[in-house]
Amino acid sequence: MSKQRACENCQAYRKEHLIRLGIGIDQYDYIIALAGNPNTGKSTVFNNLTGLRQHTGNWPGKTVTRAEGGYSFAGKQYKLVDLPGTYSLLSTSKEEEVARDFILFGRPDVTVIVADATRLERNLNLVLQILEITDKAVLCLNLMDEAERNHITINERTLSKALGIPVVTAVARQKKGMDVLINTIENVATGKYMCKPHRVKSFSPKLDHAVALLVEKLSKEFKNIPNLKWVALRLLEGDQRIIEAVRTKELGQLGEDLKSA
Ligand SMILES: Nc1nc2c(ncn2[C@@H]2O[C@H](COP(=O)(O)OP(=O)(O)OP(=O)(O)O)[C@@H](O)[C@H]2O)c(=O)[nH]1
Ligand SMILES: [Mg+2]
């Protein structure tokens, strides 16, 4: 490993990158991203966890609002970043780009996905896209009061098994489920709970072959990125942001938090 590569992997370099994204992490042990579809209760969860310790601004260079705050639990400091609500991570809007760049390049220790329990199927689209990028995630199934009112029952254990990540039910407006959520975030952040996210294993033989060829080439250039299959698929799609990240070698800043597909 070259000297520069070794440095790219070190904590100081990572911190520098996070500051570049506009996140001051000085006194925090873990960075937690809060993602989800619009109107699922992300900011309500954010307010419950951070109380008044938060501040808002814009994402650097963008007119998208960013809120960040902190909380401490079991002797550790957590920095919580409220991402814009999005239906996907395809980078087709500035909100999607902010959310995706933060999960990809900001490398949060845990991504909490807040989902609307009354619209689970639609919400799962984003959940599965996030699980393609990172494996350290928690699904917060919010608006359970509304689900109950609509006679919707969800077996969270089965869902958790199918997704490979912990699922926590919540009614954020009534502050219900927040204790379990905080505990679960700690379990994932510290590695007490090892996530094994659901991922598509195989596509068509032709696509599998193309992906394998690209992964082989990419792995020579970017030795520290485990999830090259995701990168290869985006390149084949013609994703300009990822093409640029490969060209400029920004992609080399991705690291140990991304596990192989
Ligand atoms: N019934 C019910 N309403 C909730 C719950 N959690 C949040 N809400 C309400 O849902 C609305 C949206 O909540 P927000 O926290 O602003 O949702 P958000 O995901 O941050 O929304 P965007 O940032 O616009 O994507 C608010 O009116 C909340 O009071 C819940 O568990 N049950
Ligand atoms: Mg919000």
Side-chain angles (χ1 to χ4, degrees), residues 37-44 85 142-143 145-146 170-173:
N37 285 186
N39 222 28
T40 54
K42 294 178 298 300
S43 298
T44 310
N142 194 32
L143 290 117
D145 55 335
E146 287 294 320
V171 184
R173 196 148 74 173

Side-chain angles (χ1 to χ4, degrees), residues 34-48 82-87 114-115 141-147 149 170-176 178:
L34 215 44
N37 285 186
N39 222 28
T40 54
K42 294 178 298 300
S43 298
T44 310
V45 170
F46 179 83
N47 290 335
N48 286 345
D82 194 11
L83 296 177
T86 60
Y87 291 106
V114 183
L141 215 45
N142 194 32
L143 290 117
M144 286 302 287
D145 55 335
E146 287 294 320
R149 220 166 51 82
V171 184
R173 196 148 74 173
Q174 296 166 22
K175 296 191 168 57
K176 282 189 188 161
M178 297 299 109

Side-chain angles (χ1 to χ4, degrees), residues 121-192:
E121 202 174 329
R122 186 168 78 171
N123 282 235
L124 281 177
N125 183 38
L126 179 70
V127 175
L128 293 175
Q129 284 184 24
I130 290 174
L131 293 185
E132 289 293 326
I133 298 179
T134 179
D135 56 1
K136 291 181 112 183
V138 174
L139 176 60
C140 174
L141 215 45
N142 194 32
L143 290 117
M144 286 302 287
D145 55 335
E146 287 294 320
E148 216 166 280
R149 220 166 51 82
N150 291 300
H151 309 290
I152 298 166
T153 50
I154 298 167
N155 186 331
E156 67 248 36
R157 281 189 174 200
T158 307
L159 184 61
S160 169
K161 252 192 190 167
L163 292 173
I165 58 168
V167 174
V168 176
T169 55
V171 184
R173 196 148 74 173
Q174 296 166 22
K175 296 191 168 57
K176 282 189 188 161
M178 297 299 109
D179 290 352
V180 180
L181 182 62
I182 287 172
N183 258 299
T184 309
I185 291 170
E186 190 220 8
N187 285 341
V188 174
T190 56
K192 275 187 238 164

Side-chain angles (χ1 to χ4, degrees), residues 58-107:
N58 275 359
W59 287 88
K62 303 238 163 45
T63 50
V64 181
T65 311
R66 184 194 74 216
E68 55 179 78
Y71 70 92
S72 61
F73 178 68
K76 299 283 182 200
Q77 304 292 316
Y78 292 77
K79 165 82 89 183
L80 201 58
V81 181
D82 194 11
L83 296 177
T86 60
Y87 291 106
S88 84
L89 293 183
L90 299 176
S91 238
T92 51
S93 67
K94 49 191 189 322
E95 285 81 10
E96 288 183 0
E97 200 168 307
V98 161
R100 191 177 81 175
D101 278 6
F102 189 75
I103 298 171
L104 257 178
F105 303 117
R107 288 191 281 149

